[in-house]
PDB file of all heavy atoms in Angstrom:
ATOM      1  N   ASP A  17     146.574 161.480 -33.519  1.00 93.00           N
ATOM      2  CA  ASP A  17     147.336 160.548 -32.561  1.00 93.00           C
ATOM      3  C   ASP A  17     146.602 159.246 -32.416  1.00 93.00           C
ATOM      4  O   ASP A  17     147.214 158.134 -32.411  1.00 93.00           O
ATOM      5  CB  ASP A  17     147.495 161.224 -31.198  1.00 93.00           C
ATOM      6  CG  ASP A  17     148.435 162.455 -31.273  1.00 93.00           C
ATOM      7  OD1 ASP A  17     149.326 162.424 -32.119  1.00 93.00           O
ATOM      8  OD2 ASP A  17     148.252 163.386 -30.506  1.00 93.00           O
ATOM      9  N   ALA A  18     145.271 159.306 -32.316  1.00 93.00           N
ATOM     10  CA  ALA A  18     144.535 158.085 -32.156  1.00 93.00           C
ATOM     11  C   ALA A  18     144.626 157.205 -33.502  1.00 93.00           C
ATOM     12  O   ALA A  18     144.633 155.945 -33.380  1.00 93.00           O
ATOM     13  CB  ALA A  18     143.003 158.446 -31.933  1.00 93.00           C
ATOM     14  N   ALA A  19     144.657 157.842 -34.584  1.00 94.00           N
ATOM     15  CA  ALA A  19     144.781 157.136 -35.902  1.00 94.00           C
ATOM     16  C   ALA A  19     146.168 156.454 -35.927  1.00 94.00           C
ATOM     17  O   ALA A  19     146.304 155.272 -36.278  1.00 94.00           O
ATOM     18  CB  ALA A  19     144.626 158.049 -37.040  1.00 94.00           C
ATOM     19  N   VAL A  20     147.199 157.094 -35.522  1.00 95.00           N
ATOM     20  CA  VAL A  20     148.528 156.514 -35.480  1.00 95.00           C
ATOM     21  C   VAL A  20     148.561 155.280 -34.527  1.00 95.00           C
ATOM     22  O   VAL A  20     149.078 154.222 -34.847  1.00 95.00           O
ATOM     23  CB  VAL A  20     149.608 157.541 -35.070  1.00 95.00           C
ATOM     24  CG1 VAL A  20     150.971 156.862 -34.840  1.00 95.00           C
ATOM     25  CG2 VAL A  20     149.729 158.634 -36.161  1.00 95.00           C
ATOM     26  N   GLN A  21     147.952 155.507 -33.365  1.00 95.00           N
ATOM     27  CA  GLN A  21     147.925 154.376 -32.375  1.00 95.00           C
ATOM     28  C   GLN A  21     147.135 153.140 -32.926  1.00 95.00           C
ATOM     29  O   GLN A  21     147.519 152.055 -32.870  1.00 95.00           O
ATOM     30  CB  GLN A  21     147.175 154.812 -31.125  1.00 95.00           C
ATOM     31  CG  GLN A  21     147.088 153.835 -30.013  1.00 95.00           C
ATOM     32  CD  GLN A  21     148.462 153.459 -29.370  1.00 95.00           C
ATOM     33  OE1 GLN A  21     149.194 154.384 -28.967  1.00 95.00           O
ATOM     34  NE2 GLN A  21     148.763 152.190 -29.314  1.00 95.00           N
ATOM     35  N   LEU A  22     145.968 153.440 -33.660  1.00 95.00           N
ATOM     36  CA  LEU A  22     145.163 152.314 -34.171  1.00 95.00           C
ATOM     37  C   LEU A  22     145.948 151.580 -35.265  1.00 95.00           C
ATOM     38  O   LEU A  22     145.976 150.354 -35.255  1.00 95.00           O
ATOM     39  CB  LEU A  22     143.955 152.949 -34.820  1.00 95.00           C
ATOM     40  CG  LEU A  22     143.108 151.902 -35.640  1.00 95.00           C
ATOM     41  CD1 LEU A  22     142.401 150.939 -34.817  1.00 95.00           C
ATOM     42  CD2 LEU A  22     142.123 152.621 -36.584  1.00 95.00           C
ATOM     43  N   ILE A  23     146.683 152.349 -36.145  1.00 95.00           N
ATOM     44  CA  ILE A  23     147.381 151.639 -37.189  1.00 95.00           C
ATOM     45  C   ILE A  23     148.511 150.774 -36.601  1.00 95.00           C
ATOM     46  O   ILE A  23     148.692 149.639 -37.047  1.00 95.00           O
ATOM     47  CB  ILE A  23     148.004 152.647 -38.164  1.00 95.00           C
ATOM     48  CG1 ILE A  23     146.908 153.498 -38.797  1.00 95.00           C
ATOM     49  CG2 ILE A  23     148.869 151.929 -39.231  1.00 95.00           C
ATOM     50  CD1 ILE A  23     145.823 152.675 -39.522  1.00 95.00           C
ATOM     51  N   GLY A  24     149.167 151.260 -35.594  1.00 95.00           N
ATOM     52  CA  GLY A  24     150.236 150.472 -34.892  1.00 95.00           C
ATOM     53  C   GLY A  24     149.615 149.187 -34.257  1.00 95.00           C
ATOM     54  O   GLY A  24     150.218 148.081 -34.452  1.00 95.00           O
ATOM     55  N   ASP A  25     148.517 149.361 -33.572  1.00 96.00           N
ATOM     56  CA  ASP A  25     147.859 148.190 -32.983  1.00 96.00           C
ATOM     57  C   ASP A  25     147.331 147.167 -33.987  1.00 96.00           C
ATOM     58  O   ASP A  25     147.464 145.999 -33.851  1.00 96.00           O
ATOM     59  CB  ASP A  25     146.734 148.640 -32.061  1.00 96.00           C
ATOM     60  CG  ASP A  25     147.263 149.417 -30.792  1.00 96.00           C
ATOM     61  OD1 ASP A  25     148.435 149.298 -30.463  1.00 96.00           O
ATOM     62  OD2 ASP A  25     146.404 150.093 -30.144  1.00 96.00           O
ATOM     63  N   ALA A  26     146.746 147.709 -35.041  1.00 95.00           N
ATOM     64  CA  ALA A  26     146.190 146.919 -36.091  1.00 95.00           C
ATOM     65  C   ALA A  26     147.261 146.069 -36.807  1.00 95.00           C
ATOM     66  O   ALA A  26     147.123 144.871 -37.153  1.00 95.00           O
ATOM     67  CB  ALA A  26     145.377 147.711 -37.086  1.00 95.00           C
ATOM     68  N   SER A  27     148.441 146.801 -37.083  1.00 94.00           N
ATOM     69  CA  SER A  27     149.487 146.068 -37.734  1.00 94.00           C
ATOM     70  C   SER A  27     150.070 144.969 -36.871  1.00 94.00           C
ATOM     71  O   SER A  27     150.459 143.909 -37.377  1.00 94.00           O
ATOM     72  CB  SER A  27     150.642 147.118 -38.112  1.00 94.00           C
ATOM     73  OG  SER A  27     151.192 147.663 -36.980  1.00 94.00           O
ATOM     74  N   ASP A  28     150.139 145.255 -35.526  1.00 95.00           N
ATOM     75  CA  ASP A  28     150.581 144.146 -34.641  1.00 95.00           C
ATOM     76  C   ASP A  28     149.631 142.915 -34.694  1.00 95.00           C
ATOM     77  O   ASP A  28     150.133 141.793 -34.664  1.00 95.00           O
ATOM     78  CB  ASP A  28     150.668 144.626 -33.220  1.00 95.00           C
ATOM     79  CG  ASP A  28     151.822 145.699 -33.013  1.00 95.00           C
ATOM     80  OD1 ASP A  28     152.739 145.719 -33.912  1.00 95.00           O
ATOM     81  OD2 ASP A  28     151.781 146.470 -32.085  1.00 95.00           O
ATOM     82  N   TYR A  29     148.361 143.174 -34.792  1.00 94.00           N
ATOM     83  CA  TYR A  29     147.350 142.172 -34.875  1.00 94.00           C
ATOM     84  C   TYR A  29     147.489 141.339 -36.189  1.00 94.00           C
ATOM     85  O   TYR A  29     147.346 140.117 -36.164  1.00 94.00           O
ATOM     86  CB  TYR A  29     145.952 142.821 -34.797  1.00 94.00           C
ATOM     87  CG  TYR A  29     144.853 141.786 -34.904  1.00 94.00           C
ATOM     88  CD1 TYR A  29     144.387 140.975 -33.903  1.00 94.00           C
ATOM     89  CD2 TYR A  29     144.226 141.649 -36.219  1.00 94.00           C
ATOM     90  CE1 TYR A  29     143.315 140.102 -34.163  1.00 94.00           C
ATOM     91  CE2 TYR A  29     143.112 140.785 -36.385  1.00 94.00           C
ATOM     92  CZ  TYR A  29     142.740 139.991 -35.376  1.00 94.00           C
ATOM     93  OH  TYR A  29     141.681 139.075 -35.576  1.00 94.00           O
ATOM     94  N   LEU A  30     147.703 142.069 -37.297  1.00 94.00           N
ATOM     95  CA  LEU A  30     147.748 141.502 -38.649  1.00 94.00           C
ATOM     96  C   LEU A  30     149.109 140.857 -38.991  1.00 94.00           C
ATOM     97  O   LEU A  30     149.183 139.989 -39.814  1.00 94.00           O
ATOM     98  CB  LEU A  30     147.399 142.482 -39.655  1.00 94.00           C
ATOM     99  CG  LEU A  30     145.964 143.037 -39.555  1.00 94.00           C
ATOM    100  CD1 LEU A  30     145.794 144.221 -40.547  1.00 94.00           C
ATOM    101  CD2 LEU A  30     144.934 141.987 -39.942  1.00 94.00           C
ATOM    102  N   ARG A  31     150.241 141.313 -38.345  1.00 93.00           N
ATOM    103  CA  ARG A  31     151.534 140.907 -38.728  1.00 93.00           C
ATOM    104  C   ARG A  31     151.757 139.403 -38.827  1.00 93.00           C
ATOM    105  O   ARG A  31     152.397 138.962 -39.758  1.00 93.00           O
ATOM    106  CB  ARG A  31     152.600 141.593 -37.855  1.00 93.00           C
ATOM    107  CG  ARG A  31     154.042 141.411 -38.388  1.00 93.00           C
ATOM    108  CD  ARG A  31     155.030 142.252 -37.658  1.00 93.00           C
ATOM    109  NE  ARG A  31     154.844 143.695 -37.966  1.00 93.00           N
ATOM    110  CZ  ARG A  31     154.311 144.543 -37.134  1.00 93.00           C
ATOM    111  NH1 ARG A  31     154.004 144.255 -35.896  1.00 93.00           N
ATOM    112  NH2 ARG A  31     154.215 145.807 -37.465  1.00 93.00           N
ATOM    113  N   PRO A  32     151.245 138.559 -37.910  1.00 93.00           N
ATOM    114  CA  PRO A  32     151.393 137.116 -37.991  1.00 93.00           C
ATOM    115  C   PRO A  32     150.904 136.592 -39.327  1.00 93.00           C
ATOM    116  O   PRO A  32     151.349 135.496 -39.835  1.00 93.00           O
ATOM    117  CB  PRO A  32     150.669 136.578 -36.865  1.00 93.00           C
ATOM    118  CG  PRO A  32     150.622 137.650 -35.803  1.00 93.00           C
ATOM    119  CD  PRO A  32     150.538 138.939 -36.614  1.00 93.00           C
ATOM    120  N   GLY A  33     149.973 137.191 -39.992  1.00 91.00           N
ATOM    121  CA  GLY A  33     149.437 136.754 -41.264  1.00 91.00           C
ATOM    122  C   GLY A  33     150.328 137.025 -42.425  1.00 91.00           C
ATOM    123  O   GLY A  33     150.024 136.581 -43.579  1.00 91.00           O
ATOM    124  N   LEU A  34     151.473 137.711 -42.258  1.00 90.00           N
ATOM    125  CA  LEU A  34     152.315 138.025 -43.390  1.00 90.00           C
ATOM    126  C   LEU A  34     153.010 136.822 -43.944  1.00 90.00           C
ATOM    127  O   LEU A  34     153.464 136.726 -45.119  1.00 90.00           O
ATOM    128  CB  LEU A  34     153.371 139.084 -42.958  1.00 90.00           C
ATOM    129  CG  LEU A  34     152.935 140.472 -42.825  1.00 90.00           C
ATOM    130  CD1 LEU A  34     154.011 141.397 -42.235  1.00 90.00           C
ATOM    131  CD2 LEU A  34     152.464 141.041 -44.192  1.00 90.00           C
ATOM    132  N   SER A  35     153.200 135.753 -43.104  1.00 89.00           N
ATOM    133  CA  SER A  35     153.798 134.551 -43.617  1.00 89.00           C
ATOM    134  C   SER A  35     152.818 133.818 -44.537  1.00 89.00           C
ATOM    135  O   SER A  35     151.764 133.379 -44.173  1.00 89.00           O
ATOM    136  CB  SER A  35     154.126 133.546 -42.397  1.00 89.00           C
ATOM    137  OG  SER A  35     154.662 132.383 -42.807  1.00 89.00           O
ATOM    138  N   GLY A  36     153.283 133.708 -45.843  1.00 86.00           N
ATOM    139  CA  GLY A  36     152.424 133.113 -46.841  1.00 86.00           C
ATOM    140  C   GLY A  36     151.254 134.025 -47.096  1.00 86.00           C
ATOM    141  O   GLY A  36     150.165 133.416 -47.521  1.00 86.00           O
ATOM    142  N   ALA A  37     151.298 135.315 -47.039  1.00 88.00           N
ATOM    143  CA  ALA A  37     150.114 136.186 -47.190  1.00 88.00           C
ATOM    144  C   ALA A  37     149.718 136.202 -48.652  1.00 88.00           C
ATOM    145  O   ALA A  37     150.573 136.125 -49.610  1.00 88.00           O
ATOM    146  CB  ALA A  37     150.443 137.600 -46.780  1.00 88.00           C
ATOM    147  N   SER A  38     148.409 136.362 -48.917  1.00 89.00           N
ATOM    148  CA  SER A  38     147.848 136.439 -50.289  1.00 89.00           C
ATOM    149  C   SER A  38     148.066 137.885 -50.721  1.00 89.00           C
ATOM    150  O   SER A  38     148.293 138.813 -49.955  1.00 89.00           O
ATOM    151  CB  SER A  38     146.424 136.129 -50.256  1.00 89.00           C
ATOM    152  OG  SER A  38     145.647 137.112 -49.476  1.00 89.00           O
ATOM    153  N   PRO A  39     147.958 138.038 -52.072  1.00 89.00           N
ATOM    154  CA  PRO A  39     148.112 139.526 -52.586  1.00 89.00           C
ATOM    155  C   PRO A  39     147.025 140.366 -51.979  1.00 89.00           C
ATOM    156  O   PRO A  39     147.337 141.581 -51.736  1.00 89.00           O
ATOM    157  CB  PRO A  39     147.837 139.271 -54.074  1.00 89.00           C
ATOM    158  CG  PRO A  39     148.238 137.817 -54.366  1.00 89.00           C
ATOM    159  CD  PRO A  39     147.939 137.117 -53.184  1.00 89.00           C
ATOM    160  N   GLU A  40     145.795 139.871 -51.730  1.00 89.00           N
ATOM    161  CA  GLU A  40     144.774 140.700 -51.092  1.00 89.00           C
ATOM    162  C   GLU A  40     145.283 141.185 -49.773  1.00 89.00           C
ATOM    163  O   GLU A  40     145.107 142.361 -49.389  1.00 89.00           O
ATOM    164  CB  GLU A  40     143.513 139.793 -50.965  1.00 89.00           C
ATOM    165  CG  GLU A  40     142.373 140.509 -50.304  1.00 89.00           C
ATOM    166  CD  GLU A  40     141.247 139.579 -50.031  1.00 89.00           C
ATOM    167  OE1 GLU A  40     141.349 138.324 -50.342  1.00 89.00           O
ATOM    168  OE2 GLU A  40     140.226 139.999 -49.622  1.00 89.00           O
ATOM    169  N   PHE A  41     145.815 140.236 -48.955  1.00 92.00           N
ATOM    170  CA  PHE A  41     146.310 140.640 -47.523  1.00 92.00           C
ATOM    171  C   PHE A  41     147.423 141.643 -47.648  1.00 92.00           C
ATOM    172  O   PHE A  41     147.377 142.586 -46.874  1.00 92.00           O
ATOM    173  CB  PHE A  41     146.733 139.315 -46.837  1.00 92.00           C
ATOM    174  CG  PHE A  41     147.007 139.647 -45.374  1.00 92.00           C
ATOM    175  CD1 PHE A  41     146.096 139.506 -44.414  1.00 92.00           C
ATOM    176  CD2 PHE A  41     148.361 139.970 -45.117  1.00 92.00           C
ATOM    177  CE1 PHE A  41     146.398 139.731 -43.026  1.00 92.00           C
ATOM    178  CE2 PHE A  41     148.734 140.187 -43.714  1.00 92.00           C
ATOM    179  CZ  PHE A  41     147.740 140.094 -42.677  1.00 92.00           C
ATOM    180  N   LEU A  42     148.352 141.438 -48.597  1.00 92.00           N
ATOM    181  CA  LEU A  42     149.526 142.340 -48.632  1.00 92.00           C
ATOM    182  C   LEU A  42     149.033 143.705 -49.133  1.00 92.00           C
ATOM    183  O   LEU A  42     149.555 144.710 -48.637  1.00 92.00           O
ATOM    184  CB  LEU A  42     150.542 141.774 -49.680  1.00 92.00           C
ATOM    185  CG  LEU A  42     151.373 140.567 -49.143  1.00 92.00           C
ATOM    186  CD1 LEU A  42     152.273 140.054 -50.295  1.00 92.00           C
ATOM    187  CD2 LEU A  42     152.310 140.999 -48.031  1.00 92.00           C
ATOM    188  N   SER A  43     148.079 143.761 -49.980  1.00 91.00           N
ATOM    189  CA  SER A  43     147.590 145.028 -50.476  1.00 91.00           C
ATOM    190  C   SER A  43     146.923 145.814 -49.343  1.00 91.00           C
ATOM    191  O   SER A  43     147.217 147.006 -49.097  1.00 91.00           O
ATOM    192  CB  SER A  43     146.512 144.819 -51.559  1.00 91.00           C
ATOM    193  OG  SER A  43     146.022 146.079 -51.934  1.00 91.00           O
ATOM    194  N   ILE A  44     146.136 145.151 -48.538  1.00 92.00           N
ATOM    195  CA  ILE A  44     145.455 145.788 -47.412  1.00 92.00           C
ATOM    196  C   ILE A  44     146.521 146.201 -46.347  1.00 92.00           C
ATOM    197  O   ILE A  44     146.414 147.293 -45.796  1.00 92.00           O
ATOM    198  CB  ILE A  44     144.436 144.884 -46.755  1.00 92.00           C
ATOM    199  CG1 ILE A  44     143.209 144.644 -47.770  1.00 92.00           C
ATOM    200  CG2 ILE A  44     143.951 145.348 -45.435  1.00 92.00           C
ATOM    201  CD1 ILE A  44     142.564 145.918 -48.153  1.00 92.00           C
ATOM    202  N   TYR A  45     147.488 145.308 -46.083  1.00 93.00           N
ATOM    203  CA  TYR A  45     148.500 145.566 -45.062  1.00 93.00           C
ATOM    204  C   TYR A  45     149.295 146.848 -45.508  1.00 93.00           C
ATOM    205  O   TYR A  45     149.561 147.687 -44.634  1.00 93.00           O
ATOM    206  CB  TYR A  45     149.353 144.391 -44.937  1.00 93.00           C
ATOM    207  CG  TYR A  45     150.405 144.417 -43.869  1.00 93.00           C
ATOM    208  CD1 TYR A  45     149.975 144.132 -42.522  1.00 93.00           C
ATOM    209  CD2 TYR A  45     151.735 144.783 -44.059  1.00 93.00           C
ATOM    210  CE1 TYR A  45     150.875 144.229 -41.463  1.00 93.00           C
ATOM    211  CE2 TYR A  45     152.617 144.788 -42.952  1.00 93.00           C
ATOM    212  CZ  TYR A  45     152.177 144.528 -41.668  1.00 93.00           C
ATOM    213  OH  TYR A  45     153.068 144.562 -40.640  1.00 93.00           O
ATOM    214  N   GLY A  46     149.678 146.928 -46.800  1.00 93.00           N
ATOM    215  CA  GLY A  46     150.474 148.067 -47.176  1.00 93.00           C
ATOM    216  C   GLY A  46     149.619 149.377 -47.123  1.00 93.00           C
ATOM    217  O   GLY A  46     150.176 150.381 -46.683  1.00 93.00           O
TER     218      GLY A  46
END
């Protein structure tokens, strides 16, 4: 449950970077 919560929170933190994201960022995000 803590892992699911962390991934949700981390994705919210990272999502603004999806605009014009580099391949490196997209790979990590996925």
Side-chain angles (χ1 to χ4, degrees):
D17 292 332
V20 171
Q21 181 71 52
L22 171 73
I23 299 305
D25 292 343
S27 64
D28 290 341
Y29 173 83
L30 294 170
R31 190 169 289 112
L34 285 174
S35 177
S38 65
E40 178 188 5
F41 184 90
L42 285 173
S43 176
I44 293 300
Y45 189 78

